[in-house]
Amino acid sequence: MDDSLKVACPQCHALNRVPLLRLDEAPTCGRCRKPLFAGHPVVLGVDSFAAHQSRSDLPLLVDFWAPWCQPCLMMAPNFEAAAGELEPNVRLAKVDTQSEPTLAQQFGIRSIPTLVLFARGQEVARKAGAMGALDIIRWTQANLPRR
Ligand code: ZN
């Protein structure tokens, strides 16, 4: 097993190689020098999605949402809190299905909010409906593939 991971930067989306043992030590991006883990979900669009979904080695949890959706807005702080807990082992991201209809269509999002968990570029789990922070964390950990 490789002892380092490719991690996409939440700011500039550059791929960084991070030694597994240093994942917890607040690594920074080699290109933009920003922290690779800031404890917040990263906002993704068509141009940045693949860097985190398929090119990064980190599992990716995506919240597909829309600004007009009340349950989505209610879940937002829970998702934010879950990011603080699940990083640096999982990257959390938000996709606004209204401004990114291509991504919503690509992944067949029929209702929002919908959480989709990806690992190594493949969808491993999906759940529709708003969830509390603890439920998000538990559901994600239960569905993560073993390393
Ligand atoms: Zn960067």
mmCIF file of all heavy atoms in Angstrom, residues 2 23 28 30 33 46 50 59-60 70-71 75 79 83 87 96-97 105 108 113 116 123-125 137 139 143-144:
data_model
loop_
_atom_site.group_PDB
_atom_site.id
_atom_site.type_symbol
_atom_site.label_atom_id
_atom_site.label_comp_id
_atom_site.label_asym_id
_atom_site.label_seq_id
_atom_site.Cartn_x
_atom_site.Cartn_y
_atom_site.Cartn_z
ATOM 1 N N ASP A 2 0.510 2.212 -0.792
ATOM 2 C CA ASP A 2 1.221 3.490 -0.847
ATOM 3 C C ASP A 2 1.060 4.207 0.497
ATOM 4 O O ASP A 2 0.026 4.131 1.126
ATOM 5 C CB ASP A 2 0.616 4.350 -1.977
ATOM 6 C CG ASP A 2 1.546 5.481 -2.364
ATOM 7 O OD1 ASP A 2 2.547 5.686 -1.659
ATOM 8 O OD2 ASP A 2 1.264 6.140 -3.359
ATOM 9 N N LEU A 23 -1.291 13.571 7.421
ATOM 10 C CA LEU A 23 -2.643 14.020 7.090
ATOM 11 C C LEU A 23 -3.261 14.835 8.226
ATOM 12 O O LEU A 23 -4.000 15.787 7.995
ATOM 13 C CB LEU A 23 -3.513 12.790 6.770
ATOM 14 C CG LEU A 23 -4.687 12.962 5.817
ATOM 15 C CD1 LEU A 23 -4.249 13.533 4.484
ATOM 16 C CD2 LEU A 23 -5.405 11.643 5.626
ATOM 17 N N THR A 28 -0.503 21.967 4.016
ATOM 18 C CA THR A 28 -0.900 23.101 3.175
ATOM 19 C C THR A 28 -0.667 22.754 1.709
ATOM 20 O O THR A 28 0.087 21.845 1.375
ATOM 21 C CB THR A 28 -0.103 24.378 3.526
ATOM 22 O OG1 THR A 28 1.282 24.047 3.491
ATOM 23 C CG2 THR A 28 -0.474 24.895 4.893
ATOM 24 N N GLY A 30 0.787 22.926 -1.948
ATOM 25 C CA GLY A 30 2.068 23.294 -2.527
ATOM 26 C C GLY A 30 1.956 24.426 -3.529
ATOM 27 O O GLY A 30 2.935 25.122 -3.800
ATOM 28 N N ARG A 33 -0.543 27.507 -1.054
ATOM 29 C CA ARG A 33 -0.120 27.641 0.350
ATOM 30 C C ARG A 33 -1.273 27.712 1.341
ATOM 31 O O ARG A 33 -1.062 27.952 2.526
ATOM 32 C CB ARG A 33 0.788 28.883 0.560
ATOM 33 C CG ARG A 33 1.998 28.922 -0.352
ATOM 34 C CD ARG A 33 2.999 27.866 0.011
ATOM 35 N NE ARG A 33 4.001 27.676 -1.046
ATOM 36 C CZ ARG A 33 4.830 26.643 -1.120
ATOM 37 N NH1 ARG A 33 4.791 25.706 -0.202
ATOM 38 N NH2 ARG A 33 5.691 26.530 -2.102
ATOM 39 N N VAL A 46 -18.626 22.227 -12.282
ATOM 40 C CA VAL A 46 -18.174 21.292 -13.326
ATOM 41 C C VAL A 46 -16.662 21.287 -13.491
ATOM 42 O O VAL A 46 -16.059 20.248 -13.728
ATOM 43 C CB VAL A 46 -18.777 21.600 -14.725
ATOM 44 C CG1 VAL A 46 -19.853 20.596 -15.064
ATOM 45 C CG2 VAL A 46 -19.290 23.009 -14.829
ATOM 46 N N ALA A 50 -14.069 16.982 -10.814
ATOM 47 C CA ALA A 50 -13.274 15.777 -11.056
ATOM 48 C C ALA A 50 -12.011 15.725 -10.200
ATOM 49 O O ALA A 50 -11.586 14.641 -9.781
ATOM 50 C CB ALA A 50 -12.911 15.665 -12.532
ATOM 51 N N PRO A 59 -11.960 9.981 -0.011
ATOM 52 C CA PRO A 59 -13.395 9.836 -0.282
ATOM 53 C C PRO A 59 -14.043 11.226 -0.305
ATOM 54 O O PRO A 59 -13.592 12.137 0.401
ATOM 55 C CB PRO A 59 -13.905 9.025 0.902
ATOM 56 C CG PRO A 59 -12.698 8.348 1.465
ATOM 57 C CD PRO A 59 -11.547 9.272 1.201
ATOM 58 N N LEU A 60 -15.078 11.376 -1.128
ATOM 59 C CA LEU A 60 -15.743 12.669 -1.287
ATOM 60 C C LEU A 60 -17.220 12.524 -0.954
ATOM 61 O O LEU A 60 -17.914 11.682 -1.530
ATOM 62 C CB LEU A 60 -15.577 13.161 -2.733
ATOM 63 C CG LEU A 60 -16.271 14.476 -3.081
ATOM 64 C CD1 LEU A 60 -15.589 15.662 -2.401
ATOM 65 C CD2 LEU A 60 -16.295 14.693 -4.601
ATOM 66 N N GLN A 70 -35.859 24.581 1.376
ATOM 67 C CA GLN A 70 -35.800 24.812 2.823
ATOM 68 C C GLN A 70 -35.076 23.698 3.584
ATOM 69 O O GLN A 70 -34.219 23.994 4.416
ATOM 70 C CB GLN A 70 -37.207 25.018 3.392
ATOM 71 C CG GLN A 70 -37.764 26.429 3.181
ATOM 72 C CD GLN A 70 -36.862 27.516 3.765
ATOM 73 O OE1 GLN A 70 -36.271 27.346 4.831
ATOM 74 N NE2 GLN A 70 -36.727 28.626 3.060
ATOM 75 N N PRO A 71 -35.394 22.426 3.325
ATOM 76 C CA PRO A 71 -34.653 21.355 4.034
ATOM 77 C C PRO A 71 -33.149 21.427 3.782
ATOM 78 O O PRO A 71 -32.355 21.116 4.667
ATOM 79 C CB PRO A 71 -35.252 20.062 3.459
ATOM 80 C CG PRO A 71 -36.589 20.451 2.923
ATOM 81 C CD PRO A 71 -36.453 21.882 2.467
ATOM 82 N N MET A 75 -30.263 21.855 6.586
ATOM 83 C CA MET A 75 -29.191 20.871 6.759
ATOM 84 C C MET A 75 -27.804 21.502 6.653
ATOM 85 O O MET A 75 -26.824 20.929 7.134
ATOM 86 C CB MET A 75 -29.330 19.727 5.747
ATOM 87 C CG MET A 75 -28.356 18.589 6.031
ATOM 88 S SD MET A 75 -28.599 17.121 5.023
ATOM 89 C CE MET A 75 -27.796 17.601 3.507
ATOM 90 N N PHE A 79 -24.165 19.929 7.864
ATOM 91 C CA PHE A 79 -23.149 19.456 6.923
ATOM 92 C C PHE A 79 -21.812 20.137 7.228
ATOM 93 O O PHE A 79 -20.749 19.517 7.192
ATOM 94 C CB PHE A 79 -23.608 19.753 5.494
ATOM 95 C CG PHE A 79 -22.833 19.000 4.437
ATOM 96 C CD1 PHE A 79 -22.975 17.636 4.302
ATOM 97 C CD2 PHE A 79 -21.973 19.673 3.582
ATOM 98 C CE1 PHE A 79 -22.261 16.938 3.335
ATOM 99 C CE2 PHE A 79 -21.257 18.994 2.612
ATOM 100 C CZ PHE A 79 -21.398 17.615 2.482
ATOM 101 N N ALA A 83 -18.276 18.383 8.401
ATOM 102 C CA ALA A 83 -16.982 18.583 7.733
ATOM 103 C C ALA A 83 -15.870 18.673 8.764
ATOM 104 O O ALA A 83 -14.788 18.110 8.588
ATOM 105 C CB ALA A 83 -17.012 19.847 6.862
ATOM 106 N N GLU A 87 -13.187 15.535 8.190
ATOM 107 C CA GLU A 87 -11.852 15.851 7.672
ATOM 108 C C GLU A 87 -10.820 15.410 8.700
ATOM 109 O O GLU A 87 -11.093 15.478 9.890
ATOM 110 C CB GLU A 87 -11.716 17.369 7.450
ATOM 111 C CG GLU A 87 -12.444 17.859 6.224
ATOM 112 C CD GLU A 87 -12.093 19.336 5.941
ATOM 113 O OE1 GLU A 87 -11.325 19.946 6.707
ATOM 114 O OE2 GLU A 87 -12.604 19.860 4.953
ATOM 115 N N ASP A 96 -24.380 23.194 -5.828
ATOM 116 C CA ASP A 96 -25.639 23.906 -6.010
ATOM 117 C C ASP A 96 -26.259 23.426 -7.325
ATOM 118 O O ASP A 96 -25.759 23.735 -8.399
ATOM 119 C CB ASP A 96 -25.353 25.417 -6.034
ATOM 120 C CG ASP A 96 -26.610 26.248 -6.245
ATOM 121 O OD1 ASP A 96 -27.644 25.695 -6.671
ATOM 122 O OD2 ASP A 96 -26.541 27.468 -6.004
ATOM 123 N N THR A 97 -27.335 22.640 -7.205
ATOM 124 C CA THR A 97 -27.922 22.015 -8.401
ATOM 125 C C THR A 97 -28.569 23.042 -9.326
ATOM 126 O O THR A 97 -28.816 22.757 -10.492
ATOM 127 C CB THR A 97 -28.986 20.966 -8.003
ATOM 128 O OG1 THR A 97 -29.962 21.594 -7.170
ATOM 129 C CG2 THR A 97 -28.342 19.812 -7.256
ATOM 130 N N GLN A 105 -27.521 16.519 -13.252
ATOM 131 C CA GLN A 105 -28.012 15.589 -14.269
ATOM 132 C C GLN A 105 -27.086 14.380 -14.399
ATOM 133 O O GLN A 105 -27.528 13.244 -14.490
ATOM 134 C CB GLN A 105 -28.110 16.329 -15.599
ATOM 135 C CG GLN A 105 -28.897 15.569 -16.647
ATOM 136 C CD GLN A 105 -28.997 16.342 -17.955
ATOM 137 O OE1 GLN A 105 -28.321 17.363 -18.138
ATOM 138 N NE2 GLN A 105 -29.814 15.868 -18.858
ATOM 139 N N GLY A 108 -27.794 12.065 -11.717
ATOM 140 C CA GLY A 108 -29.197 11.660 -11.598
ATOM 141 C C GLY A 108 -29.843 12.091 -10.294
ATOM 142 O O GLY A 108 -30.552 11.317 -9.661
ATOM 143 N N PRO A 113 -32.363 17.807 -0.356
ATOM 144 C CA PRO A 113 -30.941 17.495 -0.488
ATOM 145 C C PRO A 113 -30.701 15.998 -0.720
ATOM 146 O O PRO A 113 -31.441 15.166 -0.216
ATOM 147 C CB PRO A 113 -30.369 17.913 0.873
ATOM 148 C CG PRO A 113 -31.515 17.734 1.830
ATOM 149 C CD PRO A 113 -32.763 18.051 1.043
ATOM 150 N N VAL A 116 -24.258 12.186 -1.671
ATOM 151 C CA VAL A 116 -23.639 11.089 -2.423
ATOM 152 C C VAL A 116 -22.201 10.949 -1.940
ATOM 153 O O VAL A 116 -21.460 11.935 -1.869
ATOM 154 C CB VAL A 116 -23.669 11.344 -3.951
ATOM 155 C CG1 VAL A 116 -23.055 10.150 -4.691
ATOM 156 C CG2 VAL A 116 -25.092 11.571 -4.447
ATOM 157 N N GLU A 123 -19.318 5.957 -7.010
ATOM 158 C CA GLU A 123 -20.344 6.193 -6.006
ATOM 159 C C GLU A 123 -20.474 4.960 -5.129
ATOM 160 O O GLU A 123 -20.608 3.846 -5.630
ATOM 161 C CB GLU A 123 -21.685 6.489 -6.689
ATOM 162 C CG GLU A 123 -22.808 6.665 -5.678
ATOM 163 C CD GLU A 123 -24.134 7.089 -6.320
ATOM 164 O OE1 GLU A 123 -24.111 7.685 -7.404
ATOM 165 O OE2 GLU A 123 -25.175 6.807 -5.709
ATOM 166 N N VAL A 124 -20.410 5.143 -3.797
ATOM 167 C CA VAL A 124 -20.545 3.998 -2.900
ATOM 168 C C VAL A 124 -21.832 4.054 -2.081
ATOM 169 O O VAL A 124 -22.292 3.031 -1.576
ATOM 170 C CB VAL A 124 -19.321 3.825 -1.957
ATOM 171 C CG1 VAL A 124 -18.090 3.440 -2.762
ATOM 172 C CG2 VAL A 124 -19.056 5.070 -1.146
ATOM 173 N N ALA A 125 -22.413 5.243 -1.932
ATOM 174 C CA ALA A 125 -23.666 5.344 -1.184
ATOM 175 C C ALA A 125 -24.359 6.659 -1.524
ATOM 176 O O ALA A 125 -23.718 7.621 -1.943
ATOM 177 C CB ALA A 125 -23.406 5.270 0.322
ATOM 178 N N ILE A 137 -22.392 12.056 9.896
ATOM 179 C CA ILE A 137 -21.094 11.470 10.247
ATOM 180 C C ILE A 137 -21.190 9.941 10.317
ATOM 181 O O ILE A 137 -20.394 9.222 9.716
ATOM 182 C CB ILE A 137 -20.596 12.046 11.593
ATOM 183 C CG1 ILE A 137 -20.286 13.540 11.438
ATOM 184 C CG2 ILE A 137 -19.369 11.296 12.092
ATOM 185 C CD1 ILE A 137 -20.166 14.289 12.753
ATOM 186 N N TRP A 139 -23.515 7.920 9.038
ATOM 187 C CA TRP A 139 -23.865 7.323 7.732
ATOM 188 C C TRP A 139 -22.618 7.259 6.857
ATOM 189 O O TRP A 139 -22.375 6.261 6.182
ATOM 190 C CB TRP A 139 -24.969 8.166 7.080
ATOM 191 C CG TRP A 139 -25.364 7.685 5.715
ATOM 192 C CD1 TRP A 139 -26.225 6.665 5.435
ATOM 193 C CD2 TRP A 139 -24.889 8.202 4.464
ATOM 194 N NE1 TRP A 139 -26.308 6.519 4.072
ATOM 195 C CE2 TRP A 139 -25.530 7.433 3.450
ATOM 196 C CE3 TRP A 139 -24.016 9.227 4.098
ATOM 197 C CZ2 TRP A 139 -25.294 7.662 2.097
ATOM 198 C CZ3 TRP A 139 -23.796 9.457 2.752
ATOM 199 C CH2 TRP A 139 -24.419 8.684 1.766
ATOM 200 N N ASN A 143 -20.492 3.812 5.557
ATOM 201 C CA ASN A 143 -20.442 3.480 4.128
ATOM 202 C C ASN A 143 -19.058 3.605 3.507
ATOM 203 O O ASN A 143 -18.884 3.273 2.324
ATOM 204 C CB ASN A 143 -21.439 4.360 3.364
ATOM 205 C CG ASN A 143 -22.869 3.903 3.580
ATOM 206 O OD1 ASN A 143 -23.265 2.853 3.105
ATOM 207 N ND2 ASN A 143 -23.619 4.666 4.352
ATOM 208 N N LEU A 144 -18.078 4.089 4.281
ATOM 209 C CA LEU A 144 -16.728 4.204 3.743
ATOM 210 C C LEU A 144 -16.149 2.826 3.495
ATOM 211 O O LEU A 144 -16.232 1.961 4.363
ATOM 212 C CB LEU A 144 -15.818 4.949 4.733
ATOM 213 C CG LEU A 144 -15.911 6.462 4.770
ATOM 214 C CD1 LEU A 144 -14.956 6.988 5.838
ATOM 215 C CD2 LEU A 144 -15.595 7.067 3.430
#
